[in-house]
Amino acid sequence: MPVLKNLTELKELREKARAQKADRENNKLTIILGMGTCGIAAGANEVAAAVREELDKRNIEAEIVNVGCIGMCHNEPLLDIQEPGGPRVTYTKVKPAMVGKIIEKHLVKGELSKRWIFGQLPGENGQTIEGLKTYDELPFYSKQIRIALRNCGIIDPESIEEYLASGGYGGLEKALFQMSPDEVIEEIKDSGLRGRGGAGFLTGLKWEFCRKAKDYPKYVICNADEGDPGAFMDRSVLEGDPHALLEGMIIAGYAIGAPEGYIYCRAEYPLAIVRLKKAIQQAYDLGFLGENILGSGYSFDLKIKEGAGAFVCGEETALIASIEGKRGEPRPRPPYPAASGLWGKPTNVNNVKSYAIASQIMVRGADWFSKIGTKKSPGTAVFALTGKIKNTGLVEVPMGISLREIIYDLGGGIINNKRFKAVQTGGPLGGCLPEDALDTAVDFDSLTAAGATMGSGGMIVVDQDTCMVEFARYFLTFASAESCGKCVPCRIGGQRLLEVLTRITRGEGSLEDLDEIERISKYMREGSLCALGQLTPGPVMASLRFFREEYEAHVTEKFCPAGVCAGMYAYEIDADPCTGCGLCAKACPTNAITGEKKEPHAIDQLQCIQCGACYEVCNFGAVLVKRKHELPVAEVNK
Amino acid sequence: MADSDRLENSPIIANPQKQTKLLAALYLAQEEYGWLNPEAIEHVADRLGLSPGQVRSTASFYSMFNLEPQGEYRIQVCEGLSCYLAGGAETIIDYLAHLLNIQPGETTADGKFSLEVVQCIAACGSAPAMRVNDELYENLTLERIALIIRELEGGSP
Ligand SMILES: Cc1cc2nc3c(=O)[nH]c(=O)nc-3n(C[C@H](O)[C@H](O)[C@H](O)COP(=O)(O)O)c2cc1C
Ligand code: FES
């Protein structure tokens, strides 16, 4: 395709892309496959092969379209069938062996097997099939507003035409041809957009600082280093809608007056890197990147830089050092990157979602955006739901929604009907909140006030079987291993804190250790050079604040109430609820459980190795976690 | 005292445009040489006009670069969140360390196994998981790990 030389040519191409899409939707049978990392890990490639084989075998002609992740990772692999002029009908948890049946029923016999169908996405003109729920009527989607994820799972991320057909590069068009750089900045400022990388700084203001900086050249950087355990929001955008990010970055470049940009992507995201490279190439080919973009006179170059496995490189100054080819060590701010960043030049660093949202704000306007969400946190928040929750996956919700709605309405609640215990937001630098904080509104300020942080979108839910001391220790292990070692409070403080927590989970802690935790945390918060060290104690502090009694049980009674820390609990069968079904006795690897059929069973403490198998299998909640000293001494004293 | 940062960062001395290629060059060198041995470091330094010290300093910062030779079988145990919640990494690593008599980051004396701890390897649905070279092992138990190691050692599985 030739380079687009002006606005007219862009408009023509977009119309052509739209017509093509409409033609496909109205006249062709389309099969749509979820090909994000989650889909592929669940077997989407095998499903795709089965689809091709079935279609060939039956001589059915269809277009196969690969899309990114639509958010229902727990239901992958996904397969959608869209008949000419109809809606998209989604099948979930598809196995290669099911493909033949699905195709036969749906396409040959015209039957819709409700057992396998999740729902339908209405067609371009709102067409639906009677009797099937639309996505908007389903709890996982009804409360979502998708801005950053607007195209994820909807369009083919490897096709710039599909992006154009969905209105893509319309924000750039408006910026370049209808607005001055200052007006673009005003628009973003008016929208109230706050950075989605964690700190929540006003994006428009950041752009303005950078524009006003006197030095040249300036740089635009996208932070795609997403390294939090349990977080994959940015990956989904990179894999599912890379052009949305590119468009946002080009707009930022224009607003700031930067000729060059970098996307710093973590190397652990190979698929994202492939899709980004492809998107960048397409953008160059069509003239959205390079010299004299769309004939506007503005030129912008964009490159990808791969990280090399250092979490701290997500911190903006460390990230800049890494792009320069140095050790990814943070440096004190100020000066902020907006004044002195890459190679000492003014640099704007934003998160993937911030750019993806900015491009949409340019299309729909600041007014539209600022009306979504809350006054001080306008717009939406993207969360990756993980842990002991039924519907794991990716959601985008308006700010101000409660944690409870996200966890129960969208997330479907806790798996195996266990009890909710805590939710961690902000990953290893965030904090957890207990059950009575579930009605907290999800926005930057409310979450911080409640004792957690917004973070960049990881939301990890744990149930009654998680030990909060051990949970905090997990994040601490992660964060302290990632300390770059440059400053002492972070390096030594993290180690010391880890020692204390390890002591506690081994039953060797004391009450003084709880004070010690607070002392070290304070020292790290106040003395560390960058936010990594300052925030590393966060998860520990939050869990100590909300689950102090659990810490105290560990240190005073040497008891782990969740039944996790080795040697700090025993199992006992409660005779009342026990039905004598025998499942536990079957599961026990050491034959420690005995009992007559239909009679309450019992555990021989001398044989029990606390593996928890009986606890897991019991359907009646009859296996209890007990303090060792509550049981007869003779039984416990191995 | 002289401000060494300023010296190093000065455009007169540093060659930013070349150094920015360092990480990519190190990936390439690692692929070619298997690990970043002195020869590989020298090679990269030479091509980018940097000192071997500079190259080693950067390389040693990032966990994806190996400054030690790797074993024939690289065992990577996931300590990602799902694996952790599934009762994972620590027990498995301790067990492997005990079986192989090495610590994470080390290679057995016969050069057969090296042990690493990594973040999520996209097997969350069937955690805990580990990877040996390109092979993924899921739903791990200690018994299975013992079998896998015995098999790789060439003993009968
Ligand atoms: C240890 C550490 C890790 C971070 N990791 C990320 C990350 O992976 N992605 C990100 O966008 N921001 C990350 N940040 C925040 C960045 O420093 C920076 O604030 C952000 O990229 C700014 O973008 P925004 O204004 O769009 O939020 C991290 C910060 C710290 C201290
Ligand atoms: S956390 Fe281990 S595979 Fe994802």
Side-chain angles (χ1 to χ4, degrees):
Chain A
M1 239 176 289
V3 173
L4 302 171
K5 287 189 285 298
N6 52 50
L7 191 54
T8 321
E9 289 185 10
L10 167 62
K11 290 192 160 149
E12 280 168 14
L13 181 65
R14 182 175 292 123
E15 278 322 305
K16 213 173 101 193
R18 283 205 168 119
Q20 236 166 22
K21 183 165 172 242
D23 175 54
R24 192 193 79 205
E25 290 191 344
N26 292 329
N27 304 316
K28 291 199 178 119
L29 168 66
T30 313
I31 297 201
I32 299 149
L33 297 165
M35 286 285 186
T37 292
C38 50
I40 292 172
N45 278 322
E46 291 73 22
V47 171
V51 167
R52 283 201 193 86
E53 197 179 308
E54 279 300 323
L55 293 176
D56 272 357
K57 206 164 77 189
R58 295 168 195 272
N59 256 327
I60 299 175
E61 211 175 292
E63 289 221 10
I64 297 181
V65 176
N66 295 334
V67 297
C69 168
I70 200 160
M72 292 186 274
C73 306
H74 58 288
N75 276 334
E76 295 282 353
L78 299 180
L79 182 158
D80 287 13
I81 298 182
Q82 184 167 29
E83 292 185 88
R88 265 172 70 167
V89 177
T90 304
Y91 290 83
T92 53
K93 295 189 181 158
V94 177
K95 303 215 162 44
M98 287 158 61
V99 169
K101 277 210 188 100
I102 292 177
I103 289 185
E104 177 170 315
K105 280 203 168 159
H106 193 130
L107 294 176
V108 182
K109 297 191 180 147
E111 289 170 13
L112 297 173
S113 145
K114 291 230 176 90
R115 199 153 56 92
W116 291 342
I117 293 178
F118 170 79
Q120 60 175 335
L121 264 173
E124 190 79 335
N125 303 315
Q127 317 88 302
T128 53
I129 294 176
E130 217 176 304
L132 291 182
K133 290 216 159 117
T134 63
Y135 272 41
D136 284 346
E137 293 165 344
L138 291 159
F140 190 70
Y141 288 99
S142 62
K143 293 196 173 179
Q144 294 199 43
I145 299 179
R146 294 164 74 92
I147 301 173
L149 305 178
R150 59 191 178 272
N151 293 322
C152 290
I154 307 290
I155 67 169
D156 177 357
E158 300 196 6
S159 157
I160 193 169
E161 288 84 0
E162 286 215 5
Y163 184 67
L164 286 167
S166 74
Y169 288 108
L172 178 66
E173 178 188 320
K174 202 153 144 194
L176 292 179
F177 296 102
Q178 294 172 26
M179 297 166 91
S180 70
D182 287 321
E183 284 169 342
V184 172
I185 288 174
E186 274 316 304
E187 189 78 21
I188 299 296
K189 270 168 74 179
D190 286 347
S191 75
L193 173 64
R194 297 171 68 169
R196 283 347 189 212
F201 192 80
L202 286 163
T203 304
L205 208 57
K206 204 186 249 185
W207 292 13
E208 186 173 57
F209 285 145
C210 202
R211 169 155 192 87
K212 288 196 171 144
K214 288 276 177 305
D215 215 348
Y216 194 83
K218 298 176 182 181
Y219 297 99
V220 173
I221 292 178
C222 171
N223 188 341
D225 195 45
E226 187 172 66
D228 292 16
F232 46 87
M233 306 74 55
D234 297 353
R235 183 183 78 193
S236 182
V237 175
L238 300 169
E239 288 178 3
D241 195 18
H243 285 288
L245 162 64
L246 266 48
E247 183 178 358
M249 289 186 77
I250 306 166
I251 293 170
Y254 171 72
I256 288 157
E260 204 175 321
Y262 290 90
I263 300 172
Y264 187 87
C265 184
R266 71 189 299 236
E268 292 90 336
Y269 284 175
L271 183 62
I273 291 172
V274 167
R275 298 238 167 108
L276 274 176
K277 283 189 174 153
K278 208 163 201 168
I280 290 178
Q281 189 55 49
Q282 291 166 342
Y284 268 108
D285 290 347
L286 282 179
F288 292 108
L289 282 172
E291 289 282 305
N292 193 12
I293 295 170
L294 304 171
S296 67
Y298 173 62
S299 304
F300 185 71
D301 280 307
L302 190 56
K303 299 192 181 82
I304 300 178
K305 285 282 175 188
E306 270 179 57
F311 176 69
V312 71
C313 285
E315 196 281 333
E316 55 189 19
T317 61
L319 183 151
I320 286 170
S322 186
I323 294 183
E324 290 172 352
K326 297 181 186 153
R327 297 167 66 84
E329 287 171 352
R331 60 154 180 78
R333 303 174 306 178
Y336 286 88
S340 172
L342 192 57
W343 296 302
K345 302 294 179 188
T347 302
N348 181 70
V349 183
N350 274 132
N351 173 260
V352 175
K353 289 165 284 177
S354 308
Y355 287 119
I357 294 173
S359 56
Q360 191 68 353
I361 292 176
M362 291 310 294
V363 175
R364 317 259 320 240
D367 221 33
W368 160 80
F369 187 78
S370 62
K371 288 207 175 86
I372 301 167
T374 66
K375 203 163 177 334
K376 289 179 95 179
S377 300
T380 50
V382 181
F383 286 105
L385 305 180
T386 50
K388 307 282 179 166
I389 194 166
K390 281 192 190 128
N391 304 335
T392 54
L394 212 61
V395 298
E396 183 166 2
V397 287
M399 295 269 191
I401 193 172
S402 71
L403 285 167
R404 188 185 301 281
E405 286 173 276
I406 298 181
I407 294 166
Y408 286 92
D409 297 348
L410 284 78
I414 310 298
I415 32 179
N416 297 331
N417 294 319
K418 296 225 169 169
R419 253 202 15 252
F420 169 92
K421 186 166 196 178
V423 53
Q424 173 102 4
T425 55
L429 306 182
C432 64
L433 292 172
E435 190 162 12
D436 59 21
L438 274 177
D439 291 311
T440 306
V442 171
D443 63 62
F444 288 103
D445 311 303
S446 308
L447 280 176
T448 308
T453 64
M454 184 79 176
S456 86
M459 185 175 283
I460 303 149
V461 177
V462 294
D463 65 6
Q464 61 197 68
D465 296 340
T466 303
C467 165
M468 295 313 289
V469 186
E470 177 59 29
F471 191 54
R473 201 176 74 91
Y474 169 75
F475 289 112
L476 190 62
T477 309
F478 178 90
S480 62
E482 295 295 339
S483 167
C484 75
K486 188 168 166 179
C487 71
V488 177
C490 174
R491 178 169 38 123
I492 306 293
Q495 277 169 16
R496 291 292 315 284
L497 210 44
L498 192 54
E499 282 164 20
V500 176
L501 284 201
T502 306
R503 207 152 62 215
I504 296 177
T505 53
R506 290 202 177 137
E508 296 154 8
S510 64
L511 266 180
E512 288 77 60
D513 279 338
L514 305 189
D515 298 333
E516 180 74 357
I517 291 176
E518 296 192 0
R519 218 173 12 250
I520 303 171
S521 299
K522 184 160 179 281
Y523 162 73
M524 291 181 74
R525 283 202 167 163
E526 291 169 1
S528 297
L529 202 60
C530 86
L532 175 60
Q534 291 155 11
L535 299 178
T536 291
V540 185
M541 290 304 291
S543 72
L544 181 57
R545 174 173 163 199
F546 295 118
F547 298 93
R548 196 176 179 97
E549 69 291 357
E550 208 167 316
Y551 279 77
E552 286 173 354
H554 279 78
V555 297
T556 58
E557 304 179 66
K558 312 296 175 214
F559 172 51
C560 174
V564 171
C565 297
M568 295 174 72
Y569 60 96
Y571 287 110
E572 192 190 31
I573 295 178
D574 185 351
D576 268 350
C578 178
T579 62
C581 71
L583 271 184
C584 55
K586 271 207 203 92
C588 179
T590 59
N591 297 322
I593 304 182
T594 49
E596 294 298 319
K597 238 190 183 133
K598 302 211 173 142
E599 293 294 323
H601 282 42
I603 301 176
D604 176 357
Q605 297 296 336
L606 291 177
Q607 303 286 330
C608 176
I609 54 166
Q610 283 98 35
C611 69
C614 53
Y615 183 82
E616 288 299 324
V617 297
C618 181
N619 289 322
F620 308 98
V623 181
L624 305 177
V625 176
K626 288 280 186 174
R627 290 166 173 77
K628 280 193 160 177
H629 60 75
E630 284 174 342
L631 299 170
V633 178
E635 286 184 26
V636 182
N637 248 344
K638 291 200 211 175
Chain B
M1 213 177 74
D3 184 342
S4 64
D5 255 12
R6 199 164 150 238
L7 254 179
E8 197 200 328
N9 290 330
S10 157
I12 305 168
I13 294 174
N15 190 340
Q17 297 307 335
K18 274 199 169 170
Q19 187 163 359
T20 182
K21 297 188 176 136
L22 181 50
L23 265 60
L26 285 170
Y27 272 118
L28 213 65
Q30 183 159 291
E31 229 171 78
E32 288 307 311
Y33 288 85
W35 61 288
L36 295 175
N37 58 24
E39 198 188 344
I41 297 269
E42 190 84 32
H43 194 159
V44 170
D46 196 44
R47 286 299 302 276
L48 294 182
L50 303 166
S51 75
Q54 264 173 317
V55 173
R56 189 165 298 111
S57 159
T58 293
S60 65
F61 184 82
Y62 298 94
S63 64
M64 289 201 155
F65 298 130
N66 303 315
L67 291 164
E68 302 287 335
Q70 293 299 301
E72 183 186 345
Y73 294 108
R74 291 180 65 181
I75 305 176
Q76 299 180 309
V77 183
C78 176
E79 62 164 359
L81 185 76
S82 302
C83 289
Y84 159 76
L85 288 174
E90 209 157 276
T91 333
I92 294 179
I93 292 159
D94 285 350
Y95 185 63
L96 277 167
H98 159 81
L99 268 187
L100 303 171
N101 204 11
I102 50 172
Q103 289 306 306
E106 293 178 356
T107 302
T108 50
D110 61 0
K112 195 125 193 176
F113 295 102
S114 42
L115 182 58
E116 284 169 69
V117 180
V118 296
Q119 280 301 316
C120 181
I121 51 178
C124 307
S126 37
M130 69 179 193
R131 194 165 47 202
V132 181
N133 295 343
D134 287 330
E135 190 89 27
L136 201 58
Y137 295 90
E138 299 162 279
N139 295 318
L140 290 173
T141 59
L142 298 188
E143 289 82 6
R144 269 198 71 211
I145 291 175
L147 282 179
I148 294 165
I149 297 297
R150 211 179 311 151
E151 196 169 337
L152 296 176
E153 267 171 347
S156 57

